[in-house]
Amino acid sequence: MPSLHSILRTVSKYVHIAVISSSSTTLGGTPPTCTNPQISCQNTTAVADTCCFNAPGGQLLQTQFWDYSPATGPPDSWTVHGLWPDHCDGTYDANCDPARAYTNISSIISAAGATDLLSYMNTYWKDYQGNDESFWEHEWGKHGTCISTLEPGCYTDYKPQEEVVAFFQKTVDLFKSLPSYTWLSDAGIVPSTAATYTSAQILAALRSPRGVDVAIQCSNTNEFDEIWYFYNVQGSVQTGTFIPANPGQLLLQYPAVYAPVANFVFPIDGAKSNCPATGIRYLPKTTGGDIPPSSTTTSTGGNPTTAPGTSFSGRGTLQVTTGGETNGCIISGGTWYTTGTCATFTADASGSGFTLTSSKGKCAIQSNDLVCGSSVSTATVFTSTGSNLANPGGAAWHASNVPSGSTQVTVSTVRGDTSLTIAWSNA
């Protein structure tokens, strides 16, 4: 089967500055020696050796979080989200090898003697709900297993799980080379409960040190909380050179024939910055409590059908907002749906909060996911932040992607690629 790269024209410019190189000896095993390797997303003919050429995930994203409430990591540093292998057109695969979706990341790293790596991760690779191990397992299983140059067959005398250490080590090495807090601060962009910034200011500050663009993400419409840095790679992830690149662009319809049957191909990462043009808040990390309101700007986002402060009581619908716009709702099974009729829920006071019930049954958080139905024996007692449904980690919910058509998507309390809020609208 021909490579996807053989049908894609060049999609990302790159510059030979601030490149990240690796030595031929890497923590985590002995990868192959790559002679005159090509640069991913820059080839015009198929490359057969995917141990020395990242494909189809040829553009690598080092993604970072700014968790401010609840706060994670040092107050003057962003934290690690992950390392994602996007296709050159901005689409991506996920969960490529369930057999290698390990659930003992700390043990694997410790057994390799990489105690310094694990110590650094314990400080800078944090889950906002305190479940660091689960977060690391998610990032490895969803993204790490899709990096072709980390395939077990690429190693000499492969020892099970050695590629896991290489993935986390490379991610941390890249993160250390991207001091987001410092770059923003140097441009006068500092955390504040009063000041707001423009998207152009933030993008320019992060473009200046590398000469290429980034993508920025905001939660709750205008709260700056994520940065995506893009690279093309010459050679393997373990020993290759990481070249700063512009975000991949969708150039043509991705052929279904190239999607492995066991994988999912999700919508575009690419240049998708979802922050508004103005009024962006970069909030200080807090030790708890509610995020203070801005004294200089008023957000125009949110749910137009529900006034802030509307209580969860009686009958109503659960409206979803993402990227500052209302986009579908939660239906009776607890999943997110963007077409059709919204489900009606009943909210009943319980203790310090309330329970929710749909036509299918009680609602609860089970294994981090929002579920409603007969499988729920004990309803979760939810709370709210204003008109937004809250979970133990706050008012932010997550999903793997935005649903389209008749597709339903699971809503979770665990970090995903799409952040959303769920607002109550009285029926």
Side-chain angles (χ1 to χ4, degrees):
M1 181 181 294
S3 166
L4 169 62
H5 299 268
S6 66
I7 67 166
L8 290 174
R9 64 182 189 264
T10 302
V11 295
S12 299
K13 296 179 181 178
Y14 64 90
V15 292
H16 292 283
I17 61 171
V19 296
I20 309 298
S21 300
S22 301
S23 63
S24 58
T25 300
T26 59
L27 188 63
T30 306
T33 300
C34 300
T35 304
N36 298 321
Q38 295 194 49
I39 300 171
S40 61
C41 295
Q42 299 299 317
N43 61 305
T44 57
T45 59
V47 177
D49 185 3
T50 56
C51 288
C52 288
F53 183 84
N54 289 283
Q59 185 160 84
L60 278 292
L61 282 65
Q62 201 289 295
T63 53
Q64 300 184 8
F65 275 138
W66 179 260
D67 287 324
Y68 43 84
S69 181
T72 65
D76 60 350
S77 177
W78 286 62
T79 55
V80 182
H81 184 170
L83 182 64
W84 304 347
D86 273 18
H87 296 181
C88 304
D89 62 358
T91 58
Y92 60 98
D93 299 321
N95 304 305
C96 295
D97 189 352
R100 291 191 295 135
Y102 304 121
T103 58
N104 57 334
I105 302 300
S106 294
S107 298
I108 293 171
I109 294 174
S110 296
T115 54
D116 288 347
L117 170 61
L118 186 58
S119 176
Y120 191 89
M121 290 168 59
N122 281 325
T123 301
Y124 291 97
W125 200 327
K126 305 294 293 180
D127 176 66
Y128 77 114
Q129 292 183 306
N131 301 321
D132 295 349
E133 181 73 26
S134 294
F135 184 26
W136 301 340
E137 292 166 1
H138 167 80
E139 289 301 308
W140 164 253
K142 181 173 182 178
H143 301 292
T145 60
C146 294
I147 298 176
S148 69
T149 59
L150 290 178
E151 287 284 343
C154 294
Y155 284 85
T156 301
D157 298 324
Y158 172 73
K159 298 177 180 60
Q161 305 174 345
E162 60 185 354
E163 76 279 18
V164 176
V165 186
F167 171 79
F168 286 97
Q169 185 67 62
K170 177 53 64 176
T171 306
V172 164
D173 289 346
L174 288 170
F175 174 77
K176 289 180 177 179
S177 74
L178 299 166
S180 301
Y181 187 93
T182 299
W183 288 344
L184 291 166
S185 180
D186 287 348
I189 300 171
V190 295
S192 170
T193 59
T196 62
Y197 305 97
T198 67
S199 180
Q201 288 174 316
I202 296 172
L203 291 171
L206 297 172
R207 189 184 198 282
S208 179
R210 302 172 69 242
V212 291
D213 292 326
V214 304
I216 58 174
Q217 304 294 306
C218 289
S219 62
N220 299 324
T221 303
N222 68 334
E223 293 166 4
F224 180 33
D225 69 347
E226 191 162 4
I227 303 170
W228 298 348
Y229 293 99
F230 298 79
Y231 291 93
N232 295 333
V233 183
Q234 185 174 25
S236 68
V237 161
Q238 302 94 312
T239 64
T241 298
F242 278 67
I243 303 170
N246 286 307
Q249 301 292 329
L250 184 63
L251 296 175
L252 59 154
Q253 181 67 38
Y254 181 68
V257 68
Y258 290 105
V261 174
N263 301 342
F264 296 98
V265 176
F266 290 104
I268 304 163
D269 284 340
K272 291 288 185 179
S273 291
N274 72 354
C275 295
T278 61
I280 297 174
R281 305 178 71 191
Y282 180 24
L283 294 163
K285 293 187 179 183
T286 64
T287 56
D290 293 334
I291 297 169
S294 170
S295 61
T296 61
T297 187
T298 300
S299 170
T300 59
N303 179 10
T305 65
T306 306
T310 299
S311 62
F312 283 73
S313 179
R315 290 163 58 82
T317 59
L318 297 174
Q319 304 286 327
V320 173
T321 297
T322 183
E325 297 182 356
T326 302
N327 192 4
C329 53
I330 303 301
I331 58 176
S332 56
T335 52
W336 178 17
Y337 194 54
T338 56
T339 59
T341 304
C342 296
T344 299
F345 291 81
T346 300
D348 295 310
S350 178
S352 59
F354 54 89
T355 60
L356 292 171
T357 306
S358 74
S359 61
K360 289 193 174 180
K362 300 174 184 177
C363 299
I365 298 174
Q366 295 185 337
S367 301
N368 300 316
D369 296 337
L370 178 61
V371 177
C372 302
S374 59
S375 64
V376 177
S377 57
T378 303
T380 293
V381 177
F382 295 95
T383 57
S384 63
T385 299
S387 62
N388 290 330
L389 182 68
N391 59 63
W397 297 79
H398 306 276
S400 60
N401 61 297
V402 178
S404 61
S406 60
T407 302
Q408 301 175 29
V409 172
T410 299
V411 173
S412 176
T413 62
V414 175
R415 288 285 191 190
D417 295 324
T418 300
S419 296
L420 56 112
T421 55
I422 303 172
W424 179 260
S425 178
N426 288 325

